[in-house]
Amino acid sequence: MKTHTLETAGADLVYDVRGPLPTSDGRPPLLMIGQPMDASGFATLASRFPERTVVTYDPRGLGRSVRKDGRTDHAPRTQADDVHAVIEALGAGPVEMFASSGGAVTALAVVEKYPSDVTTLVAHEPPLITLTPDGPAAVRARAGVREAYEKRGWGAGMAAFVAMTSWAGEFTDAYFAQPAADPAAFGMPTEDDGSRDDPLLSDRSWAVSGYRPDADAITAAATRVVIAVGEESEDLLTARTSAAAAELLGQKVVVFPSHHGGFCGGEFGQPGKPDEFALCLRQVLDGAA
């Protein structure tokens, strides 16, 4: 693996290349992106593609990529510019892309803005909460996570986030009538360390979850777009947002093994089924599923 730093006006973007460029197998590079997860979250999945040249990167302001634009928010179209810059720096585009969570939102923005950059995009569980039928309630639930974080710190905020993302079905009055989630019940710290800059719990990534993809631009692009969902996600929020995104694009979701982080090994303490996930991803990229 070789690590590179691409200096742009707004950020110094760090990306990793596993395998040769130009590729040795005649396939495009396989670019894996996340948000707010950085490149470290793709180590297990990348290792399941030893025959491919795999590229991962840290979005601006996350991991090793240092911002120089004076901003703290995470905006999909800005990150799309960054991904485009990385693809240009590779000199081997267009690429195939697997994108996870907020990275899947960025990837859809890439297809909108740079339709020649990606041949196939597998967008796994994009958290586009305003697309769901209960979009206003989902936005209210998101605000509740930020409120818990601002008032009581990281543990309370993360507990609220887990409660929101593990709620099955639409956000009803029963959801909002629940008592505040107890961080201790999830094994999280109850003390407040004073920090308020978490990209997941603050409002810094609201532009990601509130993004409205341009369906006309995406469907007009030559890119083959696949919206994927984990089989264990069932009726949880990111499964519902995935279904809504697929409907917006006039398609059905493709079901993948495991959960929202189903491609991970031990990176974050909640391993999925990376072998089964990689097999499914390979089949989808090959057009066999």
Side-chain angles (χ1 to χ4, degrees):
M1 185 179 78
K2 295 182 179 179
T3 298
H4 307 265
T5 300
L6 174 62
E7 296 184 7
T8 73
D12 294 337
L13 304 172
V14 178
Y15 64 96
D16 305 308
V17 180
R18 297 168 171 84
L21 285 174
T23 62
S24 59
D25 60 356
R27 295 282 295 271
L30 175 55
L31 179 57
M32 300 178 178
I33 66 172
Q35 161 68 33
M37 187 178 73
D38 60 26
S40 64
F42 293 106
T44 297
L45 184 60
S47 72
R48 270 46 176 193
F49 289 85
E51 79 284 5
R52 299 289 303 271
T53 295
V54 177
V55 181
T56 55
Y57 99 118
D58 293 351
R60 65 169 60 196
L62 300 171
R64 301 160 295 174
S65 292
V66 179
R67 299 189 78 144
K68 300 183 293 188
D69 59 358
R71 300 177 67 94
T72 59
D73 60 317
H74 301 283
R77 288 193 174 91
T78 298
Q79 295 193 11
D81 293 338
D82 291 344
V83 173
H84 172 69
V86 170
I87 292 171
E88 283 200 322
L90 294 173
V95 302
E96 293 183 329
M97 186 179 294
F98 171 71
S100 166
S101 193
V105 179
T106 295
L108 292 171
V110 171
V111 175
E112 289 176 21
K113 198 169 183 180
Y114 303 102
S116 298
D117 276 3
V118 184
T119 58
T120 297
L121 163 64
V122 179
H124 184 252
E125 299 203 0
L128 298 163
I129 66 174
T130 63
L131 297 185
T132 61
D134 60 327
V139 168
R140 179 184 171 192
R142 181 186 65 179
V145 171
R146 178 179 179 270
E147 181 180 7
Y149 178 53
E150 289 292 332
K151 286 185 175 180
R152 296 185 288 133
W154 185 88
M158 184 56 72
F161 179 79
V162 171
M164 179 183 74
T165 55
S166 60
W167 180 263
E170 296 189 357
F171 293 104
T172 61
D173 290 343
Y175 173 81
F176 296 106
Q178 296 179 111
D182 179 9
F186 298 100
M188 297 169 185
T190 56
E191 66 276 6
D192 183 355
D193 66 4
S195 65
R196 294 295 186 272
D197 57 357
D198 189 285
L200 192 64
L201 306 178
S202 65
D203 59 359
R204 296 184 177 193
S205 295
W206 281 12
V208 176
S209 55
Y211 192 69
R212 304 285 296 191
D214 185 336
D216 291 339
I218 293 171
T219 55
T223 306
R224 173 180 167 239
V225 176
V226 176
I227 305 295
V229 65
E231 62 184 355
E232 296 175 24
S233 296
E234 297 181 352
D235 200 27
L236 302 182
L237 178 59
T238 51
R240 297 195 299 112
T241 60
S242 301
E247 183 179 0
L248 181 71
L249 300 179
Q251 58 178 264
K252 299 289 186 180
V253 294
V254 175
V255 179
F256 270 60
S258 198
H259 48 66
H260 188 66
F263 53 89
C264 293
E267 287 92 343
F268 305 111
Q270 191 182 7
K273 299 177 180 177
D275 291 330
E276 296 92 331
F277 195 101
L279 176 61
C280 186
L281 178 58
R282 182 176 282 106
Q283 291 172 339
V284 171
L285 290 173
D286 291 345

